[in-house]
Amino acid sequence: DFIISEHNILIEINPTITHNSYMNIFDKNSNGLDKYYHSVKSRIAEDSGYKCIHVWDWDDWDAIIDLISTNKRIYARNCKLQIIDKETAESFINLNHISRSCRGQNYCYGLFYNGELVEVMTFGKPRYNKKYQFELLRLCTKVGYSIIGGASKLFNYFLKSEHPESIISYCDLSKFTGNVYEKIGMRLSHKTDPNKVWSKNREYITNNLLRQRGYDQLFGTHYGKGTSNEELMIENGWLPVYDCGQAVFVWSVNHV
């Protein structure tokens, strides 16, 4: 929908009403978009030398603007690295990361420039794949800044201080390419299939959460067993949308 030529960035606006996989509002005899529609667009853009940013109904527009804004460049060698507490990390991430904070951030590190916190990296126990010892949970830079070499400085400090055997991390392909993970020494393991997300107005619920808890528990209703969670979602105005999947990056002491 938009192109930022000087940075080779494409912006795709994906309203749920026209980008869902359930219905086509222009053709009632047709279903919605294919599961791979958005991920294929991203792949075509990448093959042509562009980064494609997908904007969903539930996204924060201010955060999207921050993603494409010109940043002040600072070199990591001019920053001081410190261990920070979980509360400081969470507060910083909630202000500066498009996906906000997450649970389990037990190892938190920050870079300070002239006394100001400008970049944070957090680690914890893996949330989805227990074969790995740690998960890199968040890498977050203060809005308006670009820290050259910052991710490597933080990651290498964690390696030296905790001596991990293996690390896993996930990259949202609807917003990022994952290049930073390769720069810090991780390698691409694989890319997941697109994830189904349920969207209504500016709210969203992941399909995994719907399967785990069910409609009744999520919304405090009493339809009971035998009812379809997905049918209930659609009946109550929610529509399924497929994102672009995730890139899974790993690091292992045996592959350094």
Side-chain angles (χ1 to χ4, degrees), residues 61-197:
W61 270 97
D62 289 335
I64 298 298
I65 293 171
D66 290 337
L67 279 181
I68 60 178
S69 298
T70 301
N71 295 326
K72 177 182 179 181
R73 293 162 64 90
I74 295 173
Y75 288 93
R77 63 175 178 266
N78 298 322
C79 297
K80 183 179 180 181
L81 192 154
Q82 293 182 13
I83 298 173
I84 58 177
D85 59 65
K86 186 184 299 186
E87 291 73 22
T88 299
E90 289 180 348
S91 177
F92 182 88
I93 292 167
N94 282 330
L95 286 173
N96 297 285
H97 197 290
I98 194 167
S99 299
R100 309 300 181 190
S101 189
C102 64
R103 290 184 293 178
Q105 299 177 115
N106 298 320
Y107 302 82
C108 306
Y109 308 91
L111 290 180
F112 290 80
Y113 180 73
N114 291 336
E116 179 185 17
L117 183 60
V118 293
E119 191 161 53
V120 164
M121 184 178 283
T122 64
F123 299 83
K125 296 300 180 184
R127 296 171 293 175
Y128 314 114
N129 191 330
K130 303 303 180 182
K131 293 181 180 179
Y132 292 84
Q133 185 182 7
F134 291 100
E135 181 179 339
L136 195 171
L137 295 168
R138 289 288 187 267
L139 170 61
C140 178
T141 306
K142 184 176 176 63
V143 171
Y145 287 82
S146 179
I147 315 302
I148 311 304
S152 292
K153 186 170 183 174
L154 290 163
F155 189 72
N156 288 331
Y157 184 87
F158 177 74
L159 297 183
K160 292 176 182 177
S161 62
E162 299 300 327
H163 308 288
E165 294 183 0
S166 59
I167 304 170
I168 191 169
S169 195
Y170 303 88
C171 174
D172 178 4
L173 291 173
S174 72
K175 300 291 189 299
F176 307 102
T177 62
N179 290 341
V180 66
Y181 293 96
E182 295 178 334
K183 288 180 180 178
I184 65 176
M186 301 186 78
R187 61 180 177 84
L188 177 65
S189 170
H190 63 281
K191 294 181 180 180
T192 70
D193 273 352
N195 303 297
K196 183 189 288 187
V197 177

Side-chain angles (χ1 to χ4, degrees), residues 210 213-225 227 229 232:
L210 177 64
R213 299 181 60 183
Y215 189 93
D216 279 347
Q217 187 176 348
L218 283 173
F219 297 99
T221 54
H222 303 281
Y223 288 98
K225 294 183 178 180
T227 56
N229 287 318
L232 288 172

